[in-house]
Amino acid sequence: MIEIKKLSRSFGNLLAVDNLDLDVGNEIFGLLGPNGAGKSTTVMMLTTLLRPSSGTAKVCGYDIVKDSKKVRSKISYVPQDMAVDRKLTGRENVMLFAKLYGIPNRNSKVDEVIEMMGLSDRAGDLVAKYSGGMRRRLELAQALVHEPEVLFLDEPTLGLDVSGRKKIWEHIRMLKAEGMTIFMTTHYLEEAEKYCNRVAIIDKGRIAAVGSPENLVSSIGENASLNDVFLEKVKTPEEQAGFNSTQFRNLLRRR
Amino acid sequence: MKAVFYYFERDLVKWLRGRVTVVSSLVMPAAWLVFVGLALPTKFTDNYLEFITPGILVMTTLFSSLQGGSLMIFDKILGFLNKFLAMPSPRESMLYGKILFISVRGLLQASVILLIATVLGVRVLNPISVLLIYLTLFLFSVFFSALSTMIGLYLGDHDSYAAVNSMISMPLFFTSTALMPYDVMPAWLRTLASLNPVSYAIDSTRLLFEGTIPVYGILGLATGAGIMVLLGTYQFRKAVV
C-alpha cells in the first residue's frame, strides 16, 4: 500500500528524514522513535502536506508528488492536534468532512460512522462538551466518512486515559479487520507491541529497526519488551558522547 | 466551488454561535455614528451624520476584514489547515471560503450600522443605490480580507498579527475621507487620502448615498479585489505546497 524509496527531507541544515526505505502492506504499521526523529515529517510527506527534498514514495500506487490529489482521495489523515470545532456539534463536524469529500447519501453515511465510533447519543452536543477520548473518536469518524484505503494517525492515543486509549485501539483493530491499512506514529511502545502488525523504529531520520514486534523483541532476548528494543536501537545523546554514569557517580562521590 | 461554500458555512456557524463577538464588533462603529456623527460640530456641512455614515459603513467592513486574517492563523496553529489540505477538494477553496466569510460578515455588520443610521434619520434614495452600496462594500471587503489573510499566513502567529493589525487599522481610517471631505483637509492629508484605497470605497459609497452611480469607483475596487485575490492565491499555494 505504501512504498517509500530513498525518501529524504531537510529543513535548512537539518536532515529530518534521511534516505528512508520502507514498504507497508495491508497492516497496522507503527512508526516509533524519539521526539524529533522524523516521524511527523515522514507522515506529512506521505499525506502530501510536505514535499520531499529527494526520493519518492507511492501510496496506493500513486506518486505523492505527481499524483498528490489522487493520493489525497485514497487516504485520511488525523494529526495529533485534536483539531475539531468546539462550537460545532459532533455531527456537524463529521458532516463538514462528508460535504468536503462529496459523499453521496451523506446523512446516512455520517450517522453510520458516528454510530461506529460510539458517539450516537452525543452527536447533537457541541464538541466543547466532549472529553478528550470522544474528540479523538470524532476525528476518526471524520476520517472514515469517505472510506479511505490508508489511514494515517499521528499519535492517536496521546493524552488519553487508559480506557480512552483502549477504545481507540479497538477501533483501529476493527478498521484493520475491515481491510483498511493503518499507518501510525506513537510513543506508547507497550501499545505498539500489543496492537501493531509491524513496527519501524526510526532515529535521526533513519530506520534503526523494522519488523514485527515479536521478532524485534526476540532478537534482543527472552523476557525483553519493545522498550528494550527501543533503548537498544536508539542512542541518547549522552550515550553517543560516551557518557559513563558510573564514572560520573564516582566523580561526584569523591568531592 | 461547493467546497468554498462549505468552508464559508463552517466559519459562519461558528461565528454566529459566539454571541459575544457578534455584538462586540458592532459597538465601536455604532459609537462612532452616534457620539461623533451626532455630536461633532462641523462647518462644511449641517448634517454631519449623513456625511459620516458612508465612512462608518466602510470602517465597519475595514476593521472586520482586517481582523479576519486571524481566522487563517488559528486554523493553521490548531491543525485544521493540515486536515483540510490532506483532502482531495481543491486546496484554494479553503482560502476563498475564508475571504467569502470575512466579507459577508463585514456586510452583515454594516447592515446593522446602516439600520441604525436609518433610524437616526439618514436616507438612501433608491433600492438600486442600496444594492450598489452593498456591492461596493463587498468588493472593498474582498480586497482587505484577501490582504489580511495573506498577512496572517505570512506572519503565522497571532500576536504579531494583532500588532500589525492595530498598527495599520486606525491610520488607514484617519487618512481616508471618512471624517472630512478633500477640500477641508490640509494639503498633506489630502495627498494621503487620495492614495488610500479606503477613500475610494468611501467616496463611491458617499456618491451612492447622494444618488449618483460611481462607475469608475466600483470598477476600480473590483480590479483591486481581483488582483488581491490573485496575489493571495499565489501566496497560499506557496505557503502550503
Side-chain angles (χ1 to χ4, degrees):
Chain A
M1 297 302 282
I2 306 173
E3 305 158 54
I4 306 175
K5 287 204 178 74
K6 298 206 180 310
L7 196 67
S8 299
R9 169 74 200 203
S10 49
F11 298 98
N13 282 329
L14 176 79
L15 196 55
V17 174
D18 185 4
N19 267 310
L20 201 72
D21 280 303
L22 201 59
D23 276 311
V24 178
N26 181 220
E27 58 189 328
I28 302 178
F29 191 90
L31 194 60
L32 320 175
N35 294 319
K39 299 188 298 289
S40 292
T41 307
T42 306
V43 171
M44 285 184 75
M45 283 193 283
L46 294 176
T47 51
T48 77
L49 295 171
L50 205 59
R51 223 176 256 262
S53 302
S54 65
T56 58
K58 281 184 177 175
V59 176
C60 302
Y62 296 113
D63 189 284
I64 55 167
V65 177
K66 285 176 218 138
D67 287 323
S68 61
K69 197 165 180 174
K70 287 207 175 101
V71 171
R72 290 199 284 276
S73 69
K74 298 283 180 192
I75 64 162
S76 272
Y77 169 54
V78 181
Q80 49 178 286
D81 319 84
M82 290 227 197
V84 278
D85 285 311
R86 295 162 49 88
K87 282 181 188 162
L88 300 184
T89 66
R91 195 168 192 283
E92 285 168 338
N93 267 285
V94 181
M95 186 52 95
L96 171 69
F97 273 55
K99 286 173 176 172
L100 289 170
Y101 276 118
I103 308 294
N105 305 324
R106 53 185 179 232
N107 274 314
S108 56
K109 187 66 201 174
V110 166
D111 290 337
E112 183 193 322
V113 288
I114 287 177
E115 166 89 53
M116 201 196 283
M117 288 297 133
L119 292 168
S120 292
D121 31 327
R122 297 289 301 278
D125 290 1
L126 292 186
V127 171
K129 293 180 188 158
Y130 279 29
S131 69
M134 290 168 70
R135 286 181 198 190
R136 199 42 112 191
R137 297 210 304 278
L138 187 64
E139 285 207 289
L140 282 180
Q142 288 180 319
L144 296 177
V145 82
H146 78 129
E147 300 174 359
E149 287 178 32
V150 185
L151 181 58
F152 288 92
L153 303 171
D154 206 353
E155 302 279 359
T157 55
L158 189 74
L160 302 186
D161 62 24
V162 183
S163 70
R165 294 216 293 268
K166 191 158 173 276
K167 257 187 199 160
I168 294 288
W169 278 111
E170 280 165 7
H171 286 305
I172 291 174
R173 260 193 177 164
M174 176 189 75
L175 295 172
K176 165 69 182 58
E178 284 178 13
M180 203 175 288
T181 298
I182 289 109
F183 186 99
M184 57 176 305
T185 72
T186 184
H187 278 300
Y188 297 103
L189 300 185
E190 297 84 2
E191 295 179 359
E193 189 171 350
K194 194 169 164 194
Y195 297 102
C196 288
N197 301 115
R198 273 192 327 139
V199 297
I201 298 174
I202 69 167
D203 187 26
K204 295 178 194 68
R206 288 198 197 139
I207 301 268
V210 60
S212 70
E214 303 83 50
N215 286 346
L216 289 180
V217 168
S218 63
S219 71
I220 296 289
E222 253 177 73
N223 299 323
S225 74
L226 203 53
N227 276 320
D228 300 318
V229 181
F230 189 86
L231 293 171
E232 172 77 22
K233 300 287 180 187
V234 176
K235 297 289 181 226
T236 62
E238 289 83 17
E239 284 169 324
Q240 274 187 331
F243 178 79
N244 186 329
S245 57
T246 334
Q247 226 175 2
F248 187 64
R249 229 172 279 137
N250 289 337
L251 193 86
L252 287 177
R253 213 169 288 150
R254 241 178 272 144
R255 288 180 61 185
Chain B
M1 266 320 281
K2 272 187 190 162
V4 177
F5 175 75
Y6 299 140
Y7 285 124
F8 162 80
E9 190 187 24
R10 163 183 178 245
D11 278 325
L12 185 71
V13 172
K14 280 168 67 180
W15 177 65
L16 290 173
R17 281 184 190 163
R19 295 179 198 100
V20 179
T21 48
V22 172
V23 177
S24 69
S25 50
L26 291 168
V27 173
M28 200 194 9
W32 271 94
L33 206 59
V34 176
F35 299 126
V36 179
L38 283 179
L40 200 74
T42 48
K43 289 190 190 121
F44 62 86
T45 169
D46 45 12
N47 191 342
Y48 190 52
L49 180 72
E50 209 156 75
F51 178 82
I52 203 180
T53 298
I56 301 304
L57 284 176
V58 171
M59 178 183 90
T60 310
T61 52
L62 171 70
F63 289 177
S64 182
S65 302
L66 284 177
Q67 273 171 14
S70 62
L71 289 169
M72 190 61 106
I73 296 181
F74 279 125
D75 272 358
K76 192 179 171 185
I77 296 175
L78 298 178
F80 289 100
L81 185 61
N82 273 345
K83 275 173 83 169
F84 293 140
L85 293 177
M87 299 174 98
S89 55
R91 288 176 160 183
E92 298 82 41
S93 43
M94 156 113 196
L95 172 73
Y96 300 149
K98 280 271 175 292
I99 294 175
L100 184 64
F101 164 67
I102 299 167
S103 306
V104 169
R105 181 180 69 180
L107 290 188
L108 290 175
Q109 291 170 342
S111 304
V112 178
I113 299 301
L114 188 60
L115 198 74
I116 297 174
T118 314
V119 171
L120 293 176
V122 178
R123 292 286 172 267
V124 194
L125 290 177
N126 58 52
I128 295 169
S129 294
V130 178
L131 218 66
L132 288 175
I133 287 169
Y134 272 89
L135 177 67
T136 307
L137 294 176
F138 180 75
L139 293 171
F140 175 75
S141 293
V142 169
F143 179 88
F144 271 102
S145 48
L147 176 68
S148 68
T149 305
M150 262 167 88
I151 298 173
L153 264 180
Y154 175 74
L155 293 173
D157 89 285
H158 189 254
D159 290 344
S160 10
Y161 179 76
V164 170
N165 185 5
S166 61
M167 184 176 73
I168 61 174
S169 56
M170 289 319 274
L172 272 174
F173 175 63
F174 285 126
T175 57
S176 73
T177 49
L179 301 177
M180 60 191 107
Y182 292 105
D183 47 0
V184 304
M185 286 178 186
W188 56 271
L189 185 60
R190 199 176 304 144
T191 318
L192 283 175
S194 58
L195 294 171
N196 187 346
V198 180
S199 305
Y200 287 54
I202 295 174
D203 296 345
S204 299
T205 313
R206 200 163 275 151
L207 285 173
L208 285 164
F209 268 95
E210 290 161 4
T212 329
I213 295 176
V215 179
Y216 291 110
I218 292 175
L219 284 179
L221 284 169
T223 314
I227 291 172
M228 205 48 94
V229 169
L230 284 179
L231 286 174
T233 309
Y234 172 74
Q235 192 235 11
F236 182 79
R237 280 190 189 147
K238 244 178 55 174
V240 302
V241 176

mmCIF file of all heavy atoms in Angstrom, chain B residues 20-35 59-60 109 112-113 116:
data_model
loop_
_atom_site.group_PDB
_atom_site.id
_atom_site.type_symbol
_atom_site.label_atom_id
_atom_site.label_comp_id
_atom_site.label_asym_id
_atom_site.label_seq_id
_atom_site.Cartn_x
_atom_site.Cartn_y
_atom_site.Cartn_z
ATOM 1 N N VAL B 20 -20.980 36.773 21.897
ATOM 2 C CA VAL B 20 -20.296 37.993 22.337
ATOM 3 C C VAL B 20 -19.613 38.691 21.165
ATOM 4 O O VAL B 20 -19.736 39.899 20.985
ATOM 5 C CB VAL B 20 -19.261 37.669 23.437
ATOM 6 C CG1 VAL B 20 -18.545 38.933 23.878
ATOM 7 C CG2 VAL B 20 -19.950 37.017 24.625
ATOM 8 N N THR B 21 -18.915 37.895 20.330
ATOM 9 C CA THR B 21 -18.166 38.512 19.234
ATOM 10 C C THR B 21 -19.104 39.133 18.209
ATOM 11 O O THR B 21 -18.757 40.124 17.574
ATOM 12 C CB THR B 21 -17.268 37.479 18.528
ATOM 13 O OG1 THR B 21 -18.049 36.316 18.265
ATOM 14 C CG2 THR B 21 -16.074 37.128 19.376
ATOM 15 N N VAL B 22 -20.296 38.552 18.035
ATOM 16 C CA VAL B 22 -21.243 39.102 17.068
ATOM 17 C C VAL B 22 -21.644 40.510 17.481
ATOM 18 O O VAL B 22 -21.687 41.430 16.672
ATOM 19 C CB VAL B 22 -22.495 38.200 16.945
ATOM 20 C CG1 VAL B 22 -23.553 38.864 16.088
ATOM 21 C CG2 VAL B 22 -22.126 36.857 16.352
ATOM 22 N N VAL B 23 -21.908 40.701 18.753
ATOM 23 C CA VAL B 23 -22.353 42.008 19.232
ATOM 24 C C VAL B 23 -21.186 42.975 19.403
ATOM 25 O O VAL B 23 -21.249 44.134 18.984
ATOM 26 C CB VAL B 23 -23.121 41.846 20.575
ATOM 27 C CG1 VAL B 23 -23.531 43.205 21.108
ATOM 28 C CG2 VAL B 23 -24.343 40.966 20.372
ATOM 29 N N SER B 24 -20.069 42.477 19.973
ATOM 30 C CA SER B 24 -18.981 43.383 20.349
ATOM 31 C C SER B 24 -18.397 44.122 19.149
ATOM 32 O O SER B 24 -18.029 45.289 19.265
ATOM 33 C CB SER B 24 -17.879 42.607 21.067
ATOM 34 O OG SER B 24 -17.229 41.755 20.152
ATOM 35 N N SER B 25 -18.359 43.453 17.995
ATOM 36 C CA SER B 25 -17.748 44.097 16.839
ATOM 37 C C SER B 25 -18.606 45.253 16.318
ATOM 38 O O SER B 25 -18.149 46.053 15.512
ATOM 39 C CB SER B 25 -17.521 43.061 15.732
ATOM 40 O OG SER B 25 -18.712 42.346 15.514
ATOM 41 N N LEU B 26 -19.866 45.325 16.771
ATOM 42 C CA LEU B 26 -20.756 46.384 16.298
ATOM 43 C C LEU B 26 -20.702 47.624 17.164
ATOM 44 O O LEU B 26 -21.124 48.708 16.755
ATOM 45 C CB LEU B 26 -22.202 45.867 16.273
ATOM 46 C CG LEU B 26 -22.493 44.815 15.229
ATOM 47 C CD1 LEU B 26 -23.849 44.183 15.479
ATOM 48 C CD2 LEU B 26 -22.447 45.427 13.843
ATOM 49 N N VAL B 27 -20.161 47.465 18.375
ATOM 50 C CA VAL B 27 -20.230 48.562 19.334
ATOM 51 C C VAL B 27 -19.422 49.770 18.865
ATOM 52 O O VAL B 27 -19.907 50.896 18.871
ATOM 53 C CB VAL B 27 -19.764 48.099 20.732
ATOM 54 C CG1 VAL B 27 -19.672 49.281 21.685
ATOM 55 C CG2 VAL B 27 -20.727 47.057 21.273
ATOM 56 N N MET B 28 -18.177 49.508 18.380
ATOM 57 C CA MET B 28 -17.339 50.646 18.022
ATOM 58 C C MET B 28 -17.909 51.470 16.860
ATOM 59 O O MET B 28 -18.038 52.687 16.999
ATOM 60 C CB MET B 28 -15.918 50.209 17.718
ATOM 61 C CG MET B 28 -15.049 51.421 17.846
ATOM 62 S SD MET B 28 -13.396 51.442 17.236
ATOM 63 C CE MET B 28 -13.107 50.025 16.320
ATOM 64 N N PRO B 29 -18.266 50.840 15.719
ATOM 65 C CA PRO B 29 -18.835 51.671 14.642
ATOM 66 C C PRO B 29 -20.118 52.377 15.069
ATOM 67 O O PRO B 29 -20.341 53.548 14.697
ATOM 68 C CB PRO B 29 -19.107 50.675 13.506
ATOM 69 C CG PRO B 29 -18.800 49.327 14.018
ATOM 70 C CD PRO B 29 -18.040 49.457 15.290
ATOM 71 N N ALA B 30 -20.941 51.721 15.888
ATOM 72 C CA ALA B 30 -22.170 52.365 16.353
ATOM 73 C C ALA B 30 -21.834 53.575 17.211
ATOM 74 O O ALA B 30 -22.477 54.630 17.102
ATOM 75 C CB ALA B 30 -23.019 51.370 17.138
ATOM 76 N N ALA B 31 -20.801 53.426 18.034
ATOM 77 C CA ALA B 31 -20.391 54.538 18.889
ATOM 78 C C ALA B 31 -19.904 55.715 18.053
ATOM 79 O O ALA B 31 -20.233 56.874 18.330
ATOM 80 C CB ALA B 31 -19.292 54.080 19.842
ATOM 81 N N TRP B 32 -19.141 55.430 16.988
ATOM 82 C CA TRP B 32 -18.690 56.499 16.090
ATOM 83 C C TRP B 32 -19.884 57.232 15.497
ATOM 84 O O TRP B 32 -19.927 58.454 15.447
ATOM 85 C CB TRP B 32 -17.853 55.917 14.950
ATOM 86 C CG TRP B 32 -16.397 55.837 15.270
ATOM 87 C CD1 TRP B 32 -15.737 54.765 15.776
ATOM 88 C CD2 TRP B 32 -15.422 56.869 15.117
ATOM 89 N NE1 TRP B 32 -14.412 55.068 15.951
ATOM 90 C CE2 TRP B 32 -14.188 56.358 15.551
ATOM 91 C CE3 TRP B 32 -15.476 58.191 14.657
ATOM 92 C CZ2 TRP B 32 -13.019 57.096 15.536
ATOM 93 C CZ3 TRP B 32 -14.308 58.941 14.637
ATOM 94 C CH2 TRP B 32 -13.088 58.389 15.080
ATOM 95 N N LEU B 33 -20.840 56.438 15.045
ATOM 96 C CA LEU B 33 -22.012 57.000 14.385
ATOM 97 C C LEU B 33 -22.766 57.940 15.329
ATOM 98 O O LEU B 33 -23.103 59.081 14.973
ATOM 99 C CB LEU B 33 -22.931 55.848 13.966
ATOM 100 C CG LEU B 33 -23.852 56.073 12.782
ATOM 101 C CD1 LEU B 33 -23.047 56.405 11.553
ATOM 102 C CD2 LEU B 33 -24.683 54.817 12.539
ATOM 103 N N VAL B 34 -22.986 57.489 16.551
ATOM 104 C CA VAL B 34 -23.799 58.252 17.489
ATOM 105 C C VAL B 34 -22.989 59.378 18.134
ATOM 106 O O VAL B 34 -23.374 60.551 18.073
ATOM 107 C CB VAL B 34 -24.396 57.321 18.570
ATOM 108 C CG1 VAL B 34 -25.168 58.133 19.607
ATOM 109 C CG2 VAL B 34 -25.295 56.282 17.927
ATOM 110 N N PHE B 35 -21.844 59.020 18.729
ATOM 111 C CA PHE B 35 -21.127 60.005 19.534
ATOM 112 C C PHE B 35 -20.360 61.011 18.697
ATOM 113 O O PHE B 35 -20.153 62.146 19.121
ATOM 114 C CB PHE B 35 -20.205 59.305 20.534
ATOM 115 C CG PHE B 35 -20.953 58.422 21.487
ATOM 116 C CD1 PHE B 35 -20.622 57.091 21.645
ATOM 117 C CD2 PHE B 35 -22.028 58.937 22.212
ATOM 118 C CE1 PHE B 35 -21.334 56.280 22.514
ATOM 119 C CE2 PHE B 35 -22.744 58.135 23.082
ATOM 120 C CZ PHE B 35 -22.399 56.791 23.231
ATOM 121 N N MET B 59 -15.724 51.764 7.421
ATOM 122 C CA MET B 59 -14.890 51.436 8.570
ATOM 123 C C MET B 59 -15.294 50.081 9.159
ATOM 124 O O MET B 59 -14.441 49.252 9.498
ATOM 125 C CB MET B 59 -15.027 52.501 9.649
ATOM 126 C CG MET B 59 -14.214 52.189 10.891
ATOM 127 S SD MET B 59 -14.435 53.396 12.211
ATOM 128 C CE MET B 59 -15.813 52.684 13.075
ATOM 129 N N THR B 60 -16.598 49.841 9.265
ATOM 130 C CA THR B 60 -17.081 48.573 9.817
ATOM 131 C C THR B 60 -16.528 47.398 9.027
ATOM 132 O O THR B 60 -15.991 46.438 9.592
ATOM 133 C CB THR B 60 -18.622 48.528 9.769
ATOM 134 O OG1 THR B 60 -19.120 49.738 10.336
ATOM 135 C CG2 THR B 60 -19.160 47.346 10.520
ATOM 136 N N GLN B 109 -22.449 43.070 9.424
ATOM 137 C CA GLN B 109 -22.208 44.103 10.432
ATOM 138 C C GLN B 109 -22.575 45.477 9.886
ATOM 139 O O GLN B 109 -23.199 46.291 10.578
ATOM 140 C CB GLN B 109 -20.747 44.068 10.885
ATOM 141 C CG GLN B 109 -20.432 42.810 11.684
ATOM 142 C CD GLN B 109 -18.952 42.624 11.931
ATOM 143 O OE1 GLN B 109 -18.110 43.214 11.255
ATOM 144 N NE2 GLN B 109 -18.617 41.791 12.903
ATOM 145 N N VAL B 112 -26.279 46.272 10.044
ATOM 146 C CA VAL B 112 -26.777 46.755 11.335
ATOM 147 C C VAL B 112 -26.485 48.247 11.474
ATOM 148 O O VAL B 112 -27.335 49.031 11.922
ATOM 149 C CB VAL B 112 -26.130 45.956 12.497
ATOM 150 C CG1 VAL B 112 -26.611 46.475 13.841
ATOM 151 C CG2 VAL B 112 -26.441 44.474 12.367
ATOM 152 N N ILE B 113 -25.277 48.644 11.053
ATOM 153 C CA ILE B 113 -24.910 50.064 11.138
ATOM 154 C C ILE B 113 -25.826 50.898 10.233
ATOM 155 O O ILE B 113 -26.292 51.976 10.611
ATOM 156 C CB ILE B 113 -23.420 50.250 10.743
ATOM 157 C CG1 ILE B 113 -22.521 49.475 11.711
ATOM 158 C CG2 ILE B 113 -23.035 51.719 10.712
ATOM 159 C CD1 ILE B 113 -22.658 49.876 13.170
ATOM 160 N N ILE B 116 -29.081 51.352 11.940
ATOM 161 C CA ILE B 116 -29.004 52.376 12.995
ATOM 162 C C ILE B 116 -29.020 53.772 12.380
ATOM 163 O O ILE B 116 -29.732 54.674 12.841
ATOM 164 C CB ILE B 116 -27.729 52.178 13.855
ATOM 165 C CG1 ILE B 116 -27.792 50.827 14.581
ATOM 166 C CG2 ILE B 116 -27.573 53.306 14.875
ATOM 167 C CD1 ILE B 116 -26.527 50.468 15.338
#
